[in-house]
């Protein structure tokens, strides 16, 4: 249940702190007083989209804090809080505890969310809200046209949650296997259709005996062979410059030796010349080594047209393979070769896997069929009691001749079984048809309220807010709707925002929303009323702006009227 609500600088609300009791809580006020503002603030705390225009004039941010008393019997809330790193404060044994949600919205667009004073994502609020409060607006009757909503109502009544979860799990497993099978079959078909072609590509790559770095080596060799004559003649020329040919009278080596001998002789007179002699000797030895290397390179240089042709043929083959397979390097080409070999080898493996998963699918289909059948049996067993209970409640709301029924049929298999559903209705008791095609706005409101009233017995919803669900209803029907809403308060906390005095008189607690003015500044306030104030408020709702003695007497009579409990038995 919602224990308290604190609002700061939200639209017309400067500051508001209010506590709420259990049972049926009535909220009234003149049109435009700000009832929707309070509901909007609560929706903000429960994760609705932030709107910067909601920030009031008293500051650069607004704050909404809601405190809930919860009983998390399923452990769902505790699990959600733990997943988001929030200290739940809920008892591990009973699931009972307090949940404080605070939402801060700033003009810079930043929204901050806290759960039990721990920072939390806004998404968490939306996930928690379904277990905290159900806000039923006057437009929610449109949900009656939604088949998923209709089926959820029947499932709640049937108490088949475990069967539904089993069916959903079986469907998820089956659908996953079928997707995997289709992927495998598609891959096998692709491999099979291209098998001969891929085998030819693989044979060509295998026969090429690819080796990483081969192209670089071949390109270097091709350059040497293509320029072998020039290389050989140039190296011979260098040798001649060193004076090793027979035509040279005194080779460079001999000349340098002679220079060293002369410098050594002169060093007796000039000692520094000894150093120069050593440097020439070092240079001579280095030049001698260089010349030996040049001779070796010259002798190794082969002028071979045959070898050049072999290298160029090999390069042509490798370049062609690179282009054919859209590769830049031999490494990439080797990867293509290995991939082809792997895919061809996968064909037989895929066939075995397909055969295996087809067997698993047969078993999974049986599991799903059994789960769907069990779910269908539970639904069909509940249809009569469900339709009868709803019909009884609808008839109690001044629709004495109405007929409400549920038609179950066959549907395509899905996560929620193989059943289709249709709510049919007739206000006259003849030829009921699809509720979406026959019910007026007031009738839809009464049908929806009847569903909610019945579900209050079978769902663990701590609090519910009816936002003018009685729209389009008046007179004795409104009085009976008030009684029905009041009866729901025996099982849960119920808020009823209403303009009908017959409904307002039923509450355990009554709050009035008013708009106050201070100069040009307007503000919204909410306060709990009782005694004479409550009588006057209901009298205002009966008579309008001028409260007459007759309206007061009528209000007192409404407040003193005993409420006849409405049966919710299946």
């Amino acid at each position: 249940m919602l224990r308290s609500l604190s609002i700061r600088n939200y639209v017309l609300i400067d500051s508001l702190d209010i506590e709420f009791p259990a049972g049926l809580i009535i909220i009234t006020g003149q049109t435009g007083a700000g009832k929707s503002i309070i509901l909007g603030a609560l929706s903000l705390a429960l994760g609705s989209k932030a709107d910067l225009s909601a920030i009031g004039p008293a500051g650069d941010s607004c704050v909404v804090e809601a405190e809930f008393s919860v009983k998390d019997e399923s452990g769902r809330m505790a699990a959600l809080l733990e997943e988001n790193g929030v200290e739940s404060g809920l008892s591990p044994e009973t699931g009972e505890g307090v949940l404080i949600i605070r939402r801060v919205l700033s003009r810079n667009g930043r929204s901050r969310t806290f759960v039990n004073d721990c920072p939390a994502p806004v998404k968490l609020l939306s996930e928690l809200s379904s277990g905290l409060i159900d806000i039923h607006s006057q437009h929610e009757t449109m949900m009656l046209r939604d088949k998923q909503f209709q089926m959820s109502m029947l499932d709640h009544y049937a108490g088949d949650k475990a069967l539904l979860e089993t069916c959903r799990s079986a469907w998820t497993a089956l659908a996953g296997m079928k997707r995997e099978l289709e992927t495998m079959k598609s891959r096998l078909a692709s491999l099979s259709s291209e098998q001969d072609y891929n085998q030819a590509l693989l044979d060509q790559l295998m026969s090429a005996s690819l080796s990483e770095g081969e192209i670089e080596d071949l390109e270097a060799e091709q350059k040497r062979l293509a320029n072998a004559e020039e290389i050989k003649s140039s190296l011979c020329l260098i040798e001649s410059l060193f004076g090793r040919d027979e035509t040279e009278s005194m080779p460079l080596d001999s000349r340098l030796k002679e220079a060293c001998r002369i410098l050594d002789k002169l060093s007796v007179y000039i000692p520094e010349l000894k150093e120069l002699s050593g440097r020439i000797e070092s240079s001579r030895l280095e030049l001698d080594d260089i010349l030996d290397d040049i001779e070796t390179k010259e002798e190794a240089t082969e002028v071979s047209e045959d070898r050049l042709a072999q290298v160029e043929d090999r390069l042509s083959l490798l370049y062609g393979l690179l282009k054919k397979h859209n590769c830049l390097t031999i490494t990439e080409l080797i990867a293509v070769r290995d991939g082809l070999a792997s895919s061809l080898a996968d064909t037989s493996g895929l066939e075995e896997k397909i055969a295996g998963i087809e067997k698993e699918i047969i078993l999974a289909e049986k599991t799903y069929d059994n789960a769907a059948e069990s779910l269908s049996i539970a639904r069909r067993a509940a249809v009569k009691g469900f339709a009868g209970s709803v019909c009884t409640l609808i008839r109690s709301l001044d629709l004495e001749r109405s007929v409400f029924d549920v038609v179950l049929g066959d549907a395509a298999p899905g996560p929620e079984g193989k059943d289709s559903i249709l709510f049919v209705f007739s206000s006259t008791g003849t030829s009921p048809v699809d509720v979406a095609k026959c019910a007026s706005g007031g009738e839809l409101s009464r049908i929806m309220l009847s569903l909610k009233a019945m579900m209050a017995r079978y769902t663990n919803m701590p609090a519910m807010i009816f936002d003018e669900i009685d729209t389009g209803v008046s007179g004795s029907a409104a009085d009976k709707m008030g009684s029905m809403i009041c009866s729901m308060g025996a099982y849960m906390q119920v808020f009823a925002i209403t303009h009908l005095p017959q409904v307002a008189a039923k509450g355990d607690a009554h709050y009035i929303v008013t708009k106050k003015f201070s100069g040009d500044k307007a503000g919204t306030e909410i306060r709990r009323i009782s005694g004479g104030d409550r009588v006057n408020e209901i009298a205002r709702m009966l008579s309008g702006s001028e409260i007459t003695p007759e309206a007061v007497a009528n209000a007192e009579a409404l407040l003193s009227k005993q409420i006849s409990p409405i049966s919710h038995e299946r």
Side-chain angles (χ1 to χ4, degrees):
M1 59 173 275
L2 177 62
R3 293 172 54 170
S4 65
L5 183 65
S6 175
I7 304 172
R8 297 288 183 274
N9 196 36
Y10 181 84
V11 191
L12 298 178
I13 299 175
D14 182 28
S15 178
L16 174 66
D17 294 287
I18 192 163
E19 296 182 352
F20 300 105
L24 174 61
I25 299 164
I26 299 296
I27 299 177
T28 63
Q30 293 186 357
T31 301
K35 297 185 295 296
S36 60
I37 295 176
I38 295 171
L39 193 58
L42 180 59
S43 298
L44 181 68
L46 293 173
S48 67
K49 185 177 179 181
D51 184 355
L52 297 183
S53 64
I55 301 174
D60 291 328
S61 65
C62 68
V63 181
V64 180
E65 181 175 290
E67 181 178 327
F68 293 90
S69 175
V70 301
K71 187 173 184 179
D72 182 30
E73 294 178 342
S74 67
R76 173 181 169 272
M77 285 189 188
L80 281 172
L81 294 169
E82 184 177 353
E83 288 172 11
N84 288 272
V86 175
E87 183 68 33
S88 73
L90 305 179
S91 168
E93 292 78 20
T94 64
E96 296 182 354
V98 174
L99 212 59
I100 301 175
I101 296 174
R102 186 168 70 256
R103 187 99 179 265
V104 182
L105 179 61
S106 302
R107 291 196 192 278
N108 60 13
R110 185 183 179 190
S111 173
R112 291 178 294 159
T113 302
F114 302 88
V115 178
N116 289 348
D117 287 328
C118 296
V122 174
K123 181 182 177 182
L124 175 61
L125 301 187
S126 301
E127 293 172 336
L128 290 172
S129 64
S130 62
L132 294 172
I133 201 161
D134 178 12
I135 300 177
H136 180 99
S137 69
Q138 56 185 303
H139 306 295
E140 196 181 355
T141 52
M142 298 299 293
M143 290 180 64
L144 277 172
R145 297 175 169 86
D146 183 80
K147 303 304 179 187
Q148 188 172 0
F149 173 78
Q150 292 181 9
M151 189 65 81
S152 71
M153 289 289 99
L154 177 60
D155 284 332
H156 279 308
Y157 179 87
D160 57 22
K161 181 178 179 181
L163 293 175
L164 183 58
E165 289 300 321
T166 299
C167 187
R168 285 171 176 165
S169 298
W171 173 262
T172 300
L174 177 59
M177 290 180 188
K178 287 184 175 180
R179 285 194 299 270
E180 186 179 359
L181 178 62
E182 288 303 312
T183 300
M184 288 183 178
K185 284 185 173 180
S186 177
R187 177 167 173 75
L188 181 61
S190 176
L191 290 174
S192 298
S193 65
E194 300 174 357
Q195 188 168 9
D196 293 340
Y197 176 67
N198 287 340
Q199 186 64 57
L201 291 177
L202 178 62
D203 292 343
Q204 186 181 36
L205 290 171
M206 292 298 292
S207 64
S209 300
L210 302 174
S211 175
E212 292 190 17
E214 182 181 7
I215 282 185
E216 290 78 4
D217 294 341
L218 289 172
E219 287 176 340
E221 184 178 1
Q222 190 269 343
K223 287 181 181 179
R224 289 196 302 270
L225 291 170
N227 299 279
E229 291 185 356
E230 180 183 354
I231 293 170
K232 198 170 185 69
S233 62
S234 297
L235 292 174
C236 287
L237 176 59
I238 292 173
E239 290 181 46
S240 67
L241 292 174
F242 275 77
R244 283 193 176 179
D245 59 10
E246 296 177 355
T247 60
E248 186 65 45
S249 58
M250 190 174 185
L252 179 58
D253 183 70
S254 298
R255 294 176 186 177
L256 292 175
K257 285 181 180 180
E258 179 61 20
C260 287
R261 186 188 66 77
I262 294 171
L263 288 172
D264 287 341
K265 183 178 179 180
L266 294 175
S267 65
V268 176
Y269 309 107
I270 305 175
E272 292 84 353
L273 295 178
K274 187 68 175 176
E275 180 184 353
L276 292 176
S277 172
R279 290 170 63 187
I280 291 175
E281 178 63 15
S282 296
S283 299
R284 184 188 70 78
L285 294 173
E286 179 65 19
L287 289 170
D288 196 45
D289 288 342
I290 292 172
L291 186 56
D292 288 341
D293 288 343
I294 289 174
E295 288 178 346
T296 300
K297 296 293 185 185
E298 186 272 328
E299 292 171 359
T301 301
E302 177 185 6
V303 180
S304 173
E305 294 296 330
D306 291 340
R307 177 58 185 163
L308 177 60
Q310 292 174 2
V311 170
E312 289 179 341
D313 287 345
R314 178 67 175 171
L315 281 172
S316 178
L317 171 65
L318 295 177
Y319 288 150
L321 291 173
L322 288 172
K323 183 177 180 180
K324 184 174 185 176
H325 295 280
N326 196 27
C327 296
L328 297 176
T329 65
I330 293 294
T331 300
E332 293 180 12
L333 203 55
I334 290 173
V336 171
R337 179 198 67 192
D338 294 343
L340 286 169
S342 176
S343 65
L344 289 168
D346 278 349
T347 303
S348 58
L350 273 176
E351 290 173 344
E352 293 177 3
K353 290 180 180 179
I354 286 173
I357 199 169
E358 285 177 337
K359 292 179 181 178
E360 292 178 8
I361 284 175
I362 292 173
L363 296 175
E365 285 177 336
K366 290 180 179 178
T367 300
Y368 170 74
D369 289 341
N370 291 336
E373 181 62 21
S374 298
L375 181 59
S376 183
I377 290 171
R379 286 168 172 167
R380 293 181 189 280
V383 161
K384 184 177 181 180
F386 175 78
S389 297
V390 175
C391 189
T392 299
L393 291 173
I394 294 172
R395 288 180 176 180
S396 72
L397 299 176
D398 279 4
L399 291 172
E400 295 86 356
R401 295 179 178 273
S402 64
V403 173
F404 176 89
D405 205 354
V406 177
V407 179
L408 281 184
D410 296 328
E416 298 185 359
K418 300 179 181 180
D419 300 314
S420 66
I421 191 169
L422 180 66
F423 284 3
V424 294
F425 175 80
S426 170
S427 61
T428 62
T430 59
S431 304
V433 296
D434 186 351
V435 69
K437 299 178 180 178
C438 67
S440 66
E443 290 167 346
L444 286 173
S445 292
R446 281 176 267 189
I447 294 171
M448 179 61 84
L449 177 58
S450 297
L451 286 168
K452 294 279 186 176
M454 188 176 62
M455 288 305 103
R457 289 286 303 270
Y458 308 119
T459 60
N460 183 29
M461 180 63 69
M464 183 175 290
I465 296 179
F466 289 110
D467 183 15
E468 300 184 11
I469 191 175
D470 44 29
T471 298
V473 183
S474 60
S476 63
D479 182 68
K480 292 172 183 178
M481 287 184 74
S483 296
M484 188 176 290
I485 293 173
C486 183
S487 70
M488 294 173 66
Y491 308 109
M492 60 199 299
Q493 184 187 45
V494 178
F495 292 81
I497 300 174
T498 182
H499 286 290
L500 295 179
Q502 298 94 326
V503 176
K506 307 293 185 182
D508 299 308
H510 190 154
Y511 292 79
I512 183 171
V513 179
T514 57
K515 183 177 286 186
K516 299 292 185 180
F517 290 90
S518 177
D520 295 332
K521 182 181 177 182
T524 293
E525 295 180 353
I526 181 172
R527 61 187 176 87
R528 185 170 180 175
I529 57 175
S530 60
D533 288 340
R534 188 176 186 188
V535 170
N536 288 335
E537 171 61 8
I538 293 177
R540 179 197 64 77
M541 297 171 72
L542 285 165
S543 64
S545 58
E546 183 180 351
I547 301 176
T548 65
E550 292 78 10
V552 171
N554 198 357
E556 290 173 342
L558 283 174
L559 287 169
S560 63
K561 185 179 179 181
Q562 294 295 320
I563 300 170
S564 299
I566 295 177
S567 173
H568 293 271
E569 297 301 322
R570 297 194 191 192

